[in-house]
Amino acid sequence: MLKQEGQAFVMFSTAHVVAIVGLGLMIVLLVVFKNKWTIQPRKMKRYERLFAVSLLGMDLAYYIWLFQSERWSLGNSLPLELCSISLVLTIVLLWTGNKHVYDFVFYAGIGGALQAIATPVLDISFPHFRYFHFFYTHAGIVLVALYFTWVKGYSPTFKGILKTMLALNVLLPIVFLINVLFDGNYMFLRSKPVNGSLLDFLGPYPWYIVSLEVVAFFIFVCLWLVFREKRSGVTY
């Protein structure tokens, strides 16, 4: 059994609430200043890539910590969680501006990261590095998706929902097979999180996986309805 390295994380503790409030304030600032970005496109691209490097660096540091603390294993340390995949694509989006990558980051990224921030699967709290890694990367996914929508003018589409659902359903059997091979539980395809999550309201195993598909589609549609009229945006 691994030795606890720091204070145990408690859901809705002060450290948790501060992280949620911090993300809320960042979103408010993004809303307030979304029409006041006057930096030259070339310089803006430099900042976007700098943030991409910071996300990548934070995640690489996390994997180094996993190795050093002897926590790394094939069963729980591969980047196969929904938010891990979204983080990789967020970095790609910041670097390339690809509109198809934007679809996944906007729908699956926002939906997954907000749920993760609300009910974190996290064992170590502030001021441990893992606490900062968890909330920095998850908040980064949400903020990048909103930045590309509000500032860059990308527009979520219903077609994007269908593409995201298709991508997720292509990923699911692959991740499930890896879970079986390495005794993992990536994307919670074999059991629910022990500390509680949205999945607790979606029925027993394996039916909560089917229920989650319906919930995901509903959340994606809600995101589309909320954001599709906000800007004229880029259509594709």
Side-chain angles (χ1 to χ4, degrees), residues 15-44:
H16 187 195
V17 173
V18 167
I20 294 174
V21 172
L23 174 59
L25 290 175
M26 293 298 293
I27 293 174
V28 170
L29 289 174
L30 193 57
V31 172
V32 171
F33 293 105
K34 66 180 181 178
N35 295 321
K36 299 180 181 180
W37 295 72
T38 58
I39 302 176
Q40 296 177 353
R42 183 176 297 180
K43 186 174 291 187
M44 206 63 234

Side-chain angles (χ1 to χ4, degrees), residues 13-107:
S13 62
T14 300
H16 187 195
V17 173
V18 167
I20 294 174
V21 172
L23 174 59
L25 290 175
M26 293 298 293
I27 293 174
V28 170
L29 289 174
L30 193 57
V31 172
V32 171
F33 293 105
K34 66 180 181 178
N35 295 321
K36 299 180 181 180
W37 295 72
T38 58
I39 302 176
Q40 296 177 353
R42 183 176 297 180
K43 186 174 291 187
M44 206 63 234
K45 175 57 69 175
R46 190 179 308 156
Y47 288 134
E48 290 167 10
R49 292 185 172 181
L50 182 62
F51 188 54
V53 170
S54 77
L55 290 171
L56 178 61
M58 181 68 85
D59 213 38
L60 289 176
Y62 168 63
Y63 287 105
I64 292 172
W65 170 71
L66 285 176
F67 275 109
Q68 290 181 337
S69 60
E70 300 181 348
R71 289 170 174 258
W72 194 93
S73 72
L74 289 171
N76 61 27
S77 305
L78 298 176
L80 294 176
E81 302 291 0
L82 178 59
C83 288
S84 300
I85 295 169
S86 296
L87 178 62
V88 171
L89 292 179
T90 296
I91 294 169
V92 172
L93 177 60
L94 284 165
W95 203 264
T96 67
N98 185 282
K99 298 180 183 65
H100 300 292
V101 174
Y102 164 81
D103 282 328
F104 192 96
V105 173
F106 180 84
Y107 289 117

